[in-house]
Amino acid sequence: PASAFTTAGSGIATNAGKLHSTLPADFDVVAAGGWNTVEKLSADPKAELVALIKDNISASDGKVKQQSDDDGNNSSSSDGKLDALVALLQSQGKGFDADLIDGKWTAVLSRQGKKSPKIQKLVSSKSRVNKAYANFNVDAQVFENESYTPHGRGALRATVKYSPTGDGYDIGPDGGIVLRRIMCDIDKASFKYWKLPKLPLPLRAKGGYLDVLYLDEDMRITRGNRGGIFIHFRRDFLNEVTKPASFQQALLEEKIKQDHVKKRWWRRLL
């Protein structure tokens, strides 16, 4: 269990040791790679998670879905590392905050739960960075999920009514109560493609929820009632962490982008 953490050969508390009492009770240290790995990750879990997300975006050609064994890419260790980083950030006690959550967020990584609806898994598998958003309006207590087709002509939208609740709360490292859960009801959903009329979708769901595992001015991590993990960045933060490291790299990325455009153009002709 997480509470059994000690640093081998030393009675000195490490960064992970200071957080161990608030790590989730179901935290799987073995899947995370062991306590030594957790200790290293605990030095700066946010930076480690940002690096993991950048690698995922690069490996998936911009897809939001986490690359996994099913995709023929990363091993199950990527799941363990993601879970460890999320748990370390969760243990910091930064849960739901109306002021921080308000506004538009860009989806950067999602991992669907085993019980997630098929339509949700399908949308997630097709979603790309800068084409999937969540926009919170705290005054109205609603948020709208938006997901655009690859060429931006089609838009799937779902409006969700939410309300914070005391269920699922945590005790933070300072001993204070950390609110996590917002109850969520899908109010309406629609799909619109280009100039065609908007098509209402029969998607209605009540009694779901999201747990806000971590929230600051840059990043939001939530877990749904079906077990899915969803990570969003503010647009400015995403642009900052993904900008090219050099002018030469920017030129190379632009050339790769243009090559992709040319290939898509030829496919359309064929």
Side-chain angles (χ1 to χ4, degrees), residues 9-152:
S10 173
I12 301 174
T14 63
N15 288 327
K18 295 176 182 177
L19 296 170
H20 81 277
S21 62
T22 52
L23 283 170
D26 59 353
F27 177 59
D28 190 342
V29 65
V30 175
W35 285 117
N36 286 337
T37 298
V38 175
E39 179 183 345
K40 293 176 182 177
L41 294 176
S42 71
D44 193 344
K46 181 176 177 179
E48 292 282 355
L49 182 56
V50 169
L52 185 152
I53 290 170
K54 288 174 62 178
D55 289 344
N56 187 78
I57 292 172
S58 177
S60 66
D61 193 25
K63 288 185 178 180
V64 170
K65 179 185 176 184
Q66 182 196 22
Q67 299 299 287
S68 64
D69 288 337
D70 293 338
D71 306 301
N73 293 302
N74 296 340
S75 69
S76 59
S77 62
S78 63
D79 275 342
K81 184 175 182 179
L82 175 62
D83 289 336
L85 292 170
V86 170
L88 286 166
L89 288 169
Q90 180 180 349
S91 70
Q92 294 182 14
K94 298 181 179 181
F96 175 80
D97 183 301
D99 292 333
L100 284 178
I101 207 168
D102 195 29
K104 195 166 188 176
W105 297 86
T106 301
V108 293
L109 188 143
S110 71
R111 186 184 69 194
Q112 296 296 323
K114 293 181 179 179
K115 297 181 180 180
S116 296
K118 291 182 178 180
I119 182 65
Q120 185 172 305
K121 291 182 178 180
L122 176 62
V123 172
S124 175
S125 69
K126 303 298 182 183
S127 296
R128 291 183 176 273
V129 175
N130 285 323
K131 292 187 181 296
Y133 306 94
N135 192 3
F136 275 76
N137 182 337
V138 297
D139 289 334
Q141 288 200 328
V142 299
F143 65 88
E144 185 174 66
N145 286 330
E146 303 172 297
S147 185
Y148 292 85
T149 57
H151 299 294

Side-chain angles (χ1 to χ4, degrees), residues 166-206:
D167 295 340
Y169 72 90
D170 280 342
I171 302 299
D174 61 354
I177 293 176
V178 180
L179 294 180
R180 298 283 186 195
R181 186 162 298 176
I182 55 174
M183 303 303 298
C184 300
D185 296 332
I186 298 177
D187 183 48
K188 57 184 177 181
S190 65
F191 179 76
K192 180 173 175 57
Y193 189 81
W194 202 29
K195 297 180 181 180
L196 298 177
K198 182 167 64 174
L199 177 66
L201 299 177
L203 297 178
R204 299 289 187 276
K206 295 184 180 296

Side-chain angles (χ1 to χ4, degrees), residues 206-220:
K206 295 184 180 296
Y209 63 80
L210 284 175
D211 283 339
V212 180
L213 304 182
Y214 179 82
L215 177 64
D216 66 14
E217 63 276 6
D218 304 317
M219 179 190 298
R220 174 168 62 85

